[in-house]
Amino acid sequence: MENKITSIAATVTPPGTNVHLPRLGFGVYQIFGESCISSCKTALDAGYRLIDSAQLYRNEDQVGAVVRDSELDRAEIFVTTKQGIRGATPQETYNLAAESVKRIAGSGPGAYVDLFLIHIPYVKGEAEGRKEVWQALERLYDEGKTRLIGVSNYDIEHIEEMKAYAKVWPPHVNQIELHPWRQQSGLVAYCENNGIVVQAYSPLAEGTKMDDPVVQRVAAKHDKSSAQVLIRYGLQKGWVVLPKSATPKRIKANANVFDFELDEEDMVALGGLSEEVPPS
Ligand SMILES: NC(=O)c1ccc[n+]([C@@H]2O[C@H](COP(=O)([O-])OP(=O)(O)OC[C@H]3O[C@@H](n4cnc5c(N)ncnc54)[C@H](OP(=O)(O)O)[C@@H]3O)[C@@H](O)[C@H]2O)c1
């Protein structure tokens, strides 16, 4: 993947597809109601073209309203949602997913989302639940109601398990927690080797590490904020990066990360913040 990115328009195309997935996205976890609507509008105005929602976030309706009311063409906006629960039957599981598409894209012919993920591997019934939700997403994919399908919070073993039943394998995306303190390098390498796009959630470490001295040193060197350094770090690692903010000034500033580049020394210093033991 191209990591010397210089534009918010940069995308990645999952192998075997012709779908262009933006490298920078806007997360809407814990943003509700009017705040979700105004934050998504601010994000689109600032140039973000990917909005990351989920059934469990309870804001698909608001994201959908923004997308449908936007002056941008539907094709210019990339919308992700995630299924976090399993129904009582396979049909009900599918219906739950189809309702999400309706909340976001309406019920007209051709309504679609861009990416539908399984939110967590530990859906009710575990292995059977994972299979049932995946098969519901495959059905949506076949029907053209989602352009890509993927998983989130999946370990290697969960992705390998899918080979026994998946018609679509590999999943197009695995969305996982990634930032300097959480690198998951073995899982990231597995995804890269298998053509699975890696999306980084909580790329700002949920706002808890802005005062870290290493991050602040790198930020001062480039005359950027800590948040901008963390976002740029994720982009240069080759991840799709999904920062969240409900603060208009921060939403805009977090998208202003294409006019500088972290050098090797910065990347090593930031990478050294991880306390995880790398895989042998
Ligand atoms: N798949 C999953 O299981 C999963 C799990 C978690 C998250 N996600 C996705 O990833 C997205 C991002 O993750 P996240 O929401 O957990 O955390 P995050 O993006 O790492 O951090 C968000 C926090 O950082 C603060 N912040 C944002 N910009 C800032 C800035 N420039 N300066 C200082 N503080 C700043 C925000 O505050 P304000 O909002 O007050 O500005 C908020 O408290 C989510 O919204 C969601 O879409 C997915």
Side-chain angles (χ1 to χ4, degrees):
M1 194 175 330
E2 179 53 65
N3 297 329
K4 288 192 178 298
I5 59 174
T6 54
S7 159
I8 199 168
T11 59
V12 54
T13 302
T17 78
N18 60 2
V19 180
H20 305 301
L21 194 165
R23 292 289 308 279
L24 180 71
F26 181 62
V28 293
Y29 177 45
Q30 291 180 317
I31 317 184
F32 304 106
E34 280 304 314
S35 171
C36 183
I37 291 181
S38 62
S39 296
C40 288
K41 284 184 180 164
T42 303
L44 291 177
D45 287 346
Y48 297 80
R49 289 294 177 265
L50 186 167
I51 300 176
D52 183 79
S53 184
Q55 294 171 345
L56 298 177
Y57 300 172
R58 286 175 284 127
N59 54 23
E60 289 172 311
D61 284 314
Q62 287 77 19
V63 168
V66 171
V67 171
R68 292 197 301 275
D69 293 349
S70 172
E71 285 172 5
L72 293 165
D73 284 347
R74 172 67 187 86
E76 289 181 70
I77 309 174
F78 188 104
V79 189
T80 301
T81 194
K82 317 181 190 82
Q83 180 122 336
I85 44 170
R86 175 189 180 192
T89 63
Q91 181 63 40
E92 207 179 294
T93 297
Y94 167 83
N95 291 347
L96 288 168
E99 281 162 24
S100 279
V101 176
K102 213 184 268 184
R103 276 192 291 275
I104 289 169
S107 47
Y112 69 92
V113 298
D114 295 279
L115 171 63
F116 215 128
L117 303 175
I118 299 184
H119 201 146
I120 35 174
Y122 303 107
V123 289
K124 191 174 67 178
E126 302 218 347
E128 189 50 38
R130 289 192 284 275
K131 175 178 168 184
E132 187 173 303
V133 181
W134 186 251
Q135 288 177 336
L137 298 193
E138 285 184 330
R139 190 170 151 196
L140 280 188
Y141 182 64
D142 278 349
E143 293 168 348
K145 292 190 170 117
T146 181
R147 298 173 76 215
L148 298 173
I149 52 177
V151 295
S152 177
N153 297 299
Y154 267 42
D155 286 330
I156 294 172
E157 70 201 67
H158 299 124
I159 302 175
E160 285 290 304
E161 171 194 87
M162 295 170 73
K163 284 178 175 168
Y165 56 79
K167 284 193 237 145
V168 178
W169 197 98
H172 299 121
V173 166
N174 189 15
Q175 184 182 121
I176 54 179
E177 182 180 350
L178 288 172
H179 46 71
W181 300 268
R182 184 121 172 83
Q183 301 271 348
Q184 309 207 52
S185 50
L187 176 57
V188 169
Y190 170 88
C191 290
E192 288 172 354
N193 292 337
N194 284 283
I196 302 169
V197 172
V198 174
Q199 290 191 327
Y201 77 65
S202 306
L204 304 174
E206 300 177 11
T208 59
K209 300 283 193 182
M210 300 304 177
D211 294 337
D212 181 280
V214 173
V215 179
Q216 289 200 329
R217 175 166 51 76
V218 175
K221 174 173 158 184
H222 294 279
D223 199 16
K224 287 283 177 180
S225 71
S226 294
Q228 288 166 329
V229 165
L230 294 176
I231 293 165
R232 187 74 207 180
Y233 175 79
L235 292 170
Q236 288 186 214
K237 288 291 285 185
W239 310 329
V240 169
V241 185
L242 305 170
K244 170 261 173 183
S245 175
T247 313
K249 248 172 86 175
R250 290 174 173 175
I251 295 171
K252 289 177 204 152
N254 291 350
N256 182 14
V257 293
F258 299 97
D259 59 352
F260 76 114
E261 196 176 335
L262 301 173
D263 60 29
E264 183 67 24
E265 189 191 334
D266 302 330
M267 292 299 286
V268 169
L270 292 164
L273 294 170
S274 173
E275 288 163 7
E276 293 167 359
V277 182
S280 48

